[in-house]
Amino acid sequence: MIDFKNVTKIYGGEVKAVDDITMSVNEGEFVILLGPSGCGKTTLLRMVNQLETITDGEINVNGQNVKEMDKIKMRRNIGYVIQSNGLFPNMTIEKNTMIVPDLLGWDRKKKRDRFNYLMDLIGLNPDEYRKRYPHELSGGQQQRIGVARAMASDPPVMLMDEPFGALDPIIREKVQDEFLTIQKEVKKTILFVSHDIDEAVKMGDKISLLRQGQIMQYASPTEMLHRPKNDFVSEFIGKDRVLRSMSLYTVNDLVEALGLKSKEEDIQDTKEITIDTSLRVALSMLLNKEADELLITDDQGEAHGSLTFDLIETFINREVRGA
Amino acid sequence: MIDFFNYVQNDWDNIFAYTMEHLQLVSLAIVIAILIGVPLGIYLTTNKYLAETVLQVASIILTIPSIALFGIMIPILSIINQGIGFLPALIALVLYSQLPIIRNTYTAIQNVDPNIRDAAKGIGMTTFQRLTRVEIPNGMPLIMAGIRTATVLNIGIGAIAAFIGSGGLGVLINSGISRGNSNMVLAGAVFVSLLALVADFILKFIQKRVTSPGVK
Ligand SMILES: Nc1ncnc2c1ncn2[C@@H]1O[C@H](COP(=O)(O)OP(=O)(O)O)[C@@H](O)[C@H]1O
Ligand SMILES: [Mg+2]
């Protein structure tokens, strides 16, 4: 869907921000551009919708060279979200969200229906927020509106530049989860910039790890965590890669591999969690001594047994380290 | 004081006529100044080099004493037989208004948050759409502040324009001085101030109406 062929960007004849990058993003894939500050992520992203010119090489979206497309038209057909949300202070939330449909000349009824649908999708009451202005919303709400605006005309491709970077950690987790749920429903092709390895592992189908404008590794999170291609990659992933990889698994994966224990009678300190909780969350609950055992239930509320620290350790040794 | 009120009461018809004349001159000058200054200020944001030059010229114009400016225009406009009267006064007021209007418009557009401009570009607005839907609405408070400054400035300078026969409240002040009638001078000064206050109040109201509640 998005193909980079030997793409290079040189600013002002000197700064090589992107250096001969070749990679493909398939339809419906969620790809993270990951790397330290200044490695060229934003530049690479902005060449796709031609906010930056391409010095060398070519980028094709849907088989069409972006250089040959009409800039204005193609931008209206590609969702774009930035870190500082970029909402227009002078417009109400409804106007902001519906700006692209407006530019495309949709009629009022269609715009209103779309607004209501999108607000439901991002979990905000359409009638409550319709007439408000951006400054009346919290940072997290503004960011969600930024995402809704980018999805307004239902573009097949979305470009997102650290969209959740400005949010505090707890809200960020929440908005990330929401967005993943939305993505499951809408299945967009997404190119997503992040400098946060945890975010990348959690969100991406694939991660493209960049350094000084070059790709160090382009692989799925599991692949990258288990088989880092070089020292830069393993260093970037860090020592707690095992812990990191836990967010790739849910309790259900452990149940399928090892089964659960039956609840021990003498343990008092227990807590209930559902089977689709991520193992990372489960592990941190145990480590934080929120409980000695976790009682696992499915979405019907039926008990499946209990999860202990030892079980997780066994799982790590078998599945994660051994892989 | 009683004298003054008596004077105003007796001479009310004249004072009212001069006030209207004054208002006419200043409003026409401001409308023309806006039509020139706002587009120019916007255009200058696309050309930094020209912007510096134009803003400098506008500053220099503002430092020319108004009497001198009238003096310069008399021989020039005499060519078309308009050396004194309404036209040179109008031209002077338009020139004096340019600095606050151009500078504020220019700054207003320049100061729009680059992230907002970037977002507007990134979602596919044309340059013109960006200007009318994002940049001007968000710069409105500053643009209006420039227009208000220019209006108050013009109402004051408009009084001096009476020297070259443009009419208005300056006539009261002039003839008051030459006849030694202090009530007449005072009336001229008071009504110039009142006019400025009312004009600014009305413009503030207009500013509120044309500025989105989302823009602080
Ligand atoms: N407009 C620009 N002009 C000159 N250099 C730039 C410009 N934008 C980015 N750069 C440089 O290009 C490199 C990559 O920047 P960027 O793509 O913003 O990195 P990232 O998003 O990964 O932090 C950096 O060295 C940066 O200083
Ligand atoms: Mg960046």
Side-chain angles (χ1 to χ4, degrees):
Chain A
M1 191 81 169
I2 312 175
D3 294 297
F4 298 87
K5 268 188 227 154
N6 306 101
V7 175
T8 296
K9 171 73 185 184
I10 301 173
Y11 283 112
E14 301 178 30
V15 186
K16 207 175 224 184
V18 170
D19 188 1
D20 195 26
I21 280 191
T22 299
M23 66 181 253
S24 293
V25 180
N26 299 323
E27 190 169 345
E29 228 169 27
F30 193 150
V31 170
I32 313 282
L33 294 174
L34 179 68
S37 176
C39 70
K41 309 176 293 286
T42 295
T43 304
L44 190 60
L45 189 81
R46 286 165 62 89
M47 283 191 285
V48 177
N49 63 356
Q50 296 205 72
L51 288 170
E52 300 289 354
T53 55
I54 302 164
T55 310
D56 221 339
E58 70 177 65
I59 301 175
N60 290 294
V61 175
N62 228 344
Q64 223 188 332
N65 189 337
V66 293
K67 268 189 195 161
E68 284 153 19
M69 294 188 215
D70 177 89
K71 275 188 201 169
I72 301 293
K73 258 197 208 145
M74 74 101 76
R75 285 177 190 153
R76 288 176 187 174
N77 208 21
I78 293 183
Y80 182 52
V81 193
I82 52 180
Q83 175 169 345
S84 60
N85 76 57
L87 296 181
F88 306 123
N90 59 307
M91 297 182 195
T92 60
I93 296 305
E94 182 169 24
K95 272 253 160 78
N96 260 293
T97 314
M98 289 301 113
I99 186 73
V100 176
D102 210 29
L103 296 173
L104 293 172
W106 289 19
D107 64 48
R108 271 172 86 169
K109 167 95 173 59
K110 199 172 162 197
K111 279 192 283 191
R112 178 136 296 195
D113 290 346
R114 183 70 183 160
F115 176 72
N116 293 344
Y117 168 79
L118 285 170
M119 291 297 276
D120 284 339
L121 197 65
I122 60 169
L124 295 174
N125 181 334
D127 290 322
E128 193 184 332
Y129 289 94
R130 190 185 308 281
K131 292 227 157 62
R132 293 214 201 162
Y133 287 90
H135 72 90
E136 297 170 299
L137 270 59
S138 72
Q141 290 169 336
Q142 290 182 17
Q143 209 54 50
R144 277 136 86 186
I145 299 295
V147 172
R149 178 175 69 183
M151 300 201 311
S153 68
D154 205 12
V157 177
M158 306 250 293
L159 306 175
M160 307 177 81
D161 194 349
E162 308 206 25
F164 311 134
L167 304 178
D168 68 63
I170 296 169
I171 309 226
R172 191 188 314 154
E173 287 267 339
K174 211 180 143 235
V175 178
Q176 285 169 345
D177 291 339
E178 269 174 21
F179 187 68
L180 280 176
T181 314
I182 294 171
Q183 167 63 359
K184 270 198 196 119
E185 188 176 327
V186 295
K187 276 282 159 217
K188 304 281 180 201
T189 305
I190 300 173
L191 202 52
F192 185 111
V193 168
S194 175
H195 64 263
D196 175 5
I197 171 87
D198 292 315
E199 181 171 66
V201 168
K202 175 178 177 178
M203 312 279 286
D205 296 325
K206 278 189 194 159
I207 300 173
S208 175
L209 182 56
L210 305 182
R211 177 200 181 197
Q212 293 176 359
Q214 294 177 331
I215 297 183
M216 293 292 106
Q217 185 166 9
Y218 182 37
S220 71
T222 329
E223 168 86 11
M224 196 174 278
L225 288 168
H226 293 157
R227 280 186 284 278
K229 216 169 157 185
N230 53 45
D231 288 352
F232 178 80
V233 179
S234 33
E235 218 162 283
F236 196 88
I237 293 166
K239 292 203 176 55
D240 38 355
R241 70 177 184 93
V242 169
L243 183 60
R244 274 214 172 97
S245 64
M246 300 303 294
S247 56
L248 292 171
Y249 301 97
T250 61
V251 173
N252 194 36
D253 295 323
L254 182 144
V255 173
E256 277 170 13
L258 301 172
L260 291 169
K261 287 189 176 168
S262 54
K263 183 180 178 303
E264 285 177 39
E265 291 302 323
D266 51 332
I267 289 187
Q268 301 291 317
D269 232 357
T270 60
K271 210 166 189 176
E272 269 187 28
I273 59 170
T274 57
I275 199 157
D276 56 2
T277 309
S278 98
L279 264 192
R280 188 172 179 165
V281 171
L283 181 60
S284 70
M285 286 173 83
L286 291 169
L287 286 173
N288 290 339
K289 298 264 180 264
E290 286 177 44
D292 294 326
E293 275 192 19
L294 297 170
L295 296 179
I296 309 301
T297 58
D298 59 22
D299 29 340
Q300 268 88 48
E302 196 137 330
H304 278 247
S306 68
L307 179 64
T308 59
F309 191 78
D310 294 345
L311 255 178
I312 295 185
E313 202 179 355
T314 316
F315 182 77
I316 289 174
N317 286 331
R318 262 184 53 174
E319 294 292 315
V320 185
R321 284 230 169 80
Chain B
M1 217 43 188
I2 304 285
D3 265 10
F4 173 67
F5 285 116
N6 279 336
Y7 165 76
V8 170
Q9 211 160 28
N10 290 335
D11 228 5
W12 176 249
D13 287 348
N14 268 332
I15 296 175
F16 184 76
Y18 286 135
T19 308
M20 283 301 120
E21 219 170 41
H22 206 102
L23 190 63
Q24 213 172 18
L25 173 67
V26 171
S27 337
L28 188 61
I30 283 294
V31 169
I32 295 172
I34 291 172
L35 291 179
I36 299 171
V38 172
L40 189 56
I42 291 169
Y43 171 72
L44 290 181
T45 56
T46 63
N47 187 338
K48 273 219 169 84
Y49 178 74
L50 188 64
E52 257 166 55
T53 316
V54 170
L55 288 174
Q56 220 135 39
V57 171
S59 313
I60 291 169
I61 291 177
L62 200 59
T63 64
I64 303 175
S66 40
I67 296 284
L69 189 58
F70 296 140
I72 296 166
M73 276 191 300
I74 290 173
I76 300 173
L77 290 177
S78 289
I79 299 169
I80 53 166
N81 256 334
Q82 300 277 353
I84 56 167
F86 189 78
L87 188 63
L90 185 70
I91 293 175
L93 293 190
V94 170
L95 284 176
Y96 282 129
S97 313
Q98 290 307 299
L99 182 66
I101 294 181
I102 296 175
R103 188 182 50 201
N104 278 40
T105 306
Y106 176 76
T107 316
I109 303 294
Q110 285 262 296
N111 280 4
V112 170
D113 180 351
N115 287 313
I116 291 172
R117 189 174 289 130
D118 194 62
K121 230 177 167 177
I123 62 173
M125 285 194 193
T126 62
T127 311
F128 185 73
Q129 286 166 336
R130 233 156 59 215
L131 198 61
T132 54
R133 291 173 185 236
V134 177
E135 292 169 344
I136 292 178
N138 285 298
M140 201 46 112
L142 251 179
I143 296 174
M144 281 304 293
I147 292 172
R148 278 164 54 195
T149 308
T151 306
V152 172
L153 189 77
N154 273 358
I155 290 174
I157 297 175
I160 303 172
F163 276 115
I164 53 166
S166 70
L169 288 164
V171 175
L172 278 181
I173 300 174
N174 277 352
S175 31
I177 292 173
S178 52
R179 288 183 217 164
N181 183 342
S182 60
N183 280 331
M184 217 167 161
V185 178
L186 190 60
V190 166
F191 278 86
V192 167
S193 310
L194 277 178
L195 195 58
L197 278 175
V198 172
D200 198 47
F201 181 80
I202 292 172
L203 286 174
K204 240 187 216 163
F205 177 77
I206 294 176
Q207 176 171 350
K208 258 221 172 103
R209 293 295 302 269
V210 296
T211 308
S212 151
V215 179
K216 283 161 287 174

